[in-house]
Amino acid sequence: MARETGGERIAIVGAGLAGALLATLLGRRGLAVTVYERRPDPRVAGAERGRSINLAVSARGLAALEQVGLRDQALKRALPMHGRRVHPLRGEVNFQSYSADGTRAINSISRAELNQELLDAAEATPGVTLRFGRKVTGVDADAGLLTMEGPDGPETESATVILAGDGAYSAVRRAVGFDADLDFLEHGYKELTVPARDGDFALDPDALHIWPRGTSMMIALPNLDRSFTCTLFWPKDDLTALDTPAKVTAHFREHYPDVVDLMPGLTGDYAANPNGSLVTVRCWPWVRRGRTATVALLGDAAHAIVPFYGQGANCAFEDCIEIDRCLTEADGHWPRALSLYQERRKANTDAIAEMALDNFVEMRDRVSQPLYRATHAVQHALERRLAGRYVSRYELVSFSTMPYARIPARLRRQNLALGGVTLATGLLAGAAVRAARRRGR
């Protein structure tokens, strides 16, 4: 493909999910793209231990992967989860379907494996160069320069467009001085493992498992090797309080009695795996234009969210698709395209950030309550009865590509309409009863 514009040097900082996808999209436009990543090549070095938080890829992510021909390949390495299997401390384990008809599923995918597939796709795209072991230390948008520490010492690279997909603690965001607020939860996370048992899954592989405990929870997602990746979401003080194997075992026997015996490596994993932080990044603007280069943030660098709706990667993939779309609309003019991109995406990312925070409360507390289960059943009944007119928030977030910012208004409209129908039905029923009574006199 011919070059879309002449003389532009595109730098993407961060070779994670979003950076690799965006590199492929831009390379397919005929642009020369260099991707800089601080880590060694993960296809060689392997994934960081205890840092995965398995992906739950849904409609938005699959639509983005389709754009680069990876949808079917990703699904071959995915396990569908058709609902939540809730493990209360007391009472029976129960299954809560994600969709009203039970057919829709979110997909458990290894973050490391998907990242590797995206890197392979980027590397195979003409015009794309991947450079690992480069830690960005400075950005000068006026001069169009990136400074970084490379394998052999300091390096300086030039660029006219710098796209930062380097995560919630973005080095580019700090170097350029973007105005960002990092809001940390009092909760942290730690990963554990439920290995395969006698060559098979030890838990139901068709579900995302949740152990809700009010102020904390554990979840588990299935892997292709028939293990489960478990993630604790606990107050940080609780994570550090269990400082001996005996304390860890006793705590799990008390709070997770149905799974503790399925975790033979529990105490070793608990000691070896790091504690992670959960942060929401709110930043504006996402674009800064210097004399020579335009810098833009995407993915977690612009809008990191907590993982409780499984939308972090899905949302970042949407950023990449939007940048590509805006480039087309702007006829390849980068400053105009990036201005359109941030204006269109900001409200959507704010909306999903709030929904993700709310879903944490739902997952750690509400899902185990009888009232929630009854409400959930009613919602699904309404979705079946009023197909297309009544749609739950979960369906709109996970199984549609409706812009996140439009979802709250859609829910308000349908609830108002439903309330009006309910009121009218009640009035008519009351009138019918009164008329029958009059006739009976």
Side-chain angles (χ1 to χ4, degrees):
M1 185 185 292
R3 294 275 180 242
E4 195 169 85
T5 55
E8 289 184 324
R9 300 176 301 280
I10 315 300
I12 296 176
V13 180
L17 299 170
L21 174 64
L22 185 57
T24 303
L25 290 167
L26 298 182
R28 291 187 176 191
R29 300 181 74 92
L31 294 167
V33 182
T34 304
V35 182
Y36 301 97
E37 169 58 49
R38 64 174 178 81
R39 302 170 300 169
D41 188 338
R43 295 169 297 178
V44 177
E48 294 179 86
R49 175 170 179 156
R51 295 287 192 186
S52 68
I53 304 189
N54 275 38
L55 300 175
V57 176
S58 50
R60 300 167 197 274
L62 293 175
L65 292 171
E66 180 74 30
Q67 296 296 307
V68 294
L70 288 180
R71 181 183 186 275
D72 292 343
Q73 183 176 332
L75 285 175
K76 287 178 183 176
R77 303 290 297 168
L79 288 166
M81 301 178 293
H82 286 86
R84 298 166 172 165
R85 194 160 290 281
V86 179
H87 300 248
L89 187 55
R90 297 174 185 82
E92 295 295 320
V93 175
N94 62 86
F95 181 79
Q96 300 174 8
S97 175
Y98 282 136
S99 64
D101 61 7
T103 63
R104 298 177 187 261
I106 59 177
N107 300 282
S108 177
I109 297 179
S110 162
R111 177 183 296 270
E113 287 190 7
L114 183 57
N115 198 176
Q116 290 170 15
E117 290 174 359
L118 285 163
L119 288 171
D120 287 343
E123 195 167 54
T125 304
V128 176
T129 302
L130 305 179
R131 301 187 67 191
F132 295 95
R134 267 74 181 185
K135 180 181 179 181
V136 170
T137 55
V139 179
D140 187 337
D142 287 332
L145 295 176
L146 281 166
T147 56
M148 59 194 79
E149 286 293 329
D152 300 316
E155 299 178 4
T156 301
E157 300 287 345
S158 61
T160 51
V161 179
I162 301 168
L163 304 167
D166 55 341
Y169 308 107
S170 170
V172 174
R173 190 183 64 224
R174 293 196 307 272
V176 176
F178 283 98
D179 184 17
D181 175 48
L182 278 65
D183 182 15
F184 289 88
L185 285 186
E186 65 176 13
H187 292 70
Y189 73 89
K190 183 188 287 287
E191 290 189 356
L192 304 171
T193 301
V194 171
R197 193 176 197 186
D198 299 325
D200 205 353
F201 290 101
L203 301 166
D204 175 11
D206 190 36
L208 185 155
H209 294 257
I210 307 177
W211 288 261
R213 297 297 182 261
T215 60
S216 65
M217 69 175 179
M218 181 171 72
I219 67 171
L221 279 73
N223 300 308
L224 285 177
D225 65 0
R226 291 180 166 76
S227 69
F228 283 80
T229 298
C230 302
T231 309
L232 305 172
F233 296 102
W234 291 1
K236 293 175 182 176
D237 289 346
D238 291 353
L239 283 171
T240 57
L242 304 184
D243 53 6
T244 68
K247 288 181 181 178
V248 171
T249 302
H251 184 89
F252 273 75
R253 289 212 175 277
E254 180 180 358
H255 295 281
Y256 305 97
D258 65 332
V259 74
V260 63
D261 290 329
L262 303 178
M263 307 171 81
L266 170 62
T267 57
D269 286 346
Y270 197 96
N273 291 349
N275 297 339
S277 294
L278 299 166
V279 63
T280 300
V281 173
R282 297 178 176 88
C283 179
W284 187 255
W286 298 350
V287 178
R288 184 74 56 82
R289 189 174 182 183
R291 287 192 298 270
T292 300
T294 301
V295 184
L297 309 176
L298 67 138
D300 284 358
H303 51 73
I305 61 176
V306 293
F308 305 113
Y309 236 123
Q311 288 297 303
N314 294 284
C315 184
F317 284 167
E318 283 192 326
D319 287 353
C320 301
I321 298 301
E322 191 63 55
I323 289 172
D324 191 48
R325 183 184 297 121
C326 290
L327 266 177
T328 298
E329 293 180 24
D331 294 323
H333 185 265
W334 274 99
R336 184 160 63 247
L338 292 173
S339 179
L340 283 172
Y341 150 71
Q342 68 172 353
E343 290 167 8
R344 291 177 180 175
R345 290 296 293 158
K346 174 62 174 171
N348 290 305
T349 60
D350 284 349
I352 190 56
E354 293 307 312
M355 288 188 280
L357 288 166
D358 180 68
N359 213 46
F360 183 30
V361 180
E362 178 171 309
M363 292 175 72
R364 78 187 194 209
D365 187 15
R366 298 178 196 148
V367 294
S368 61
Q369 297 175 4
L371 178 60
Y372 174 87
R373 293 175 61 186
T375 302
H376 188 71
V378 169
Q379 284 182 334
H380 279 177
L382 288 168
E383 287 180 288
R384 291 189 293 269
R385 187 78 175 267
L386 304 172
R389 289 177 290 165
Y390 183 91
V391 187
S392 70
R393 184 174 74 171
Y394 197 92
E395 286 260 353
L396 292 171
V397 169
S398 297
F399 303 131
S400 86
T401 56
M402 175 181 285
Y404 294 120
R406 288 172 48 191
I407 292 174
R410 162 67 190 259
L411 295 174
R412 286 193 295 270
R413 286 196 304 273
Q414 70 183 23
N415 289 339
L416 282 171
L418 183 64
V421 169
T422 302
L423 177 61
T425 301
L427 292 173
L428 288 172
V433 169
R434 289 192 295 273
R437 285 174 178 169
R438 285 196 298 271
R439 287 195 298 271
R441 289 175 184 166

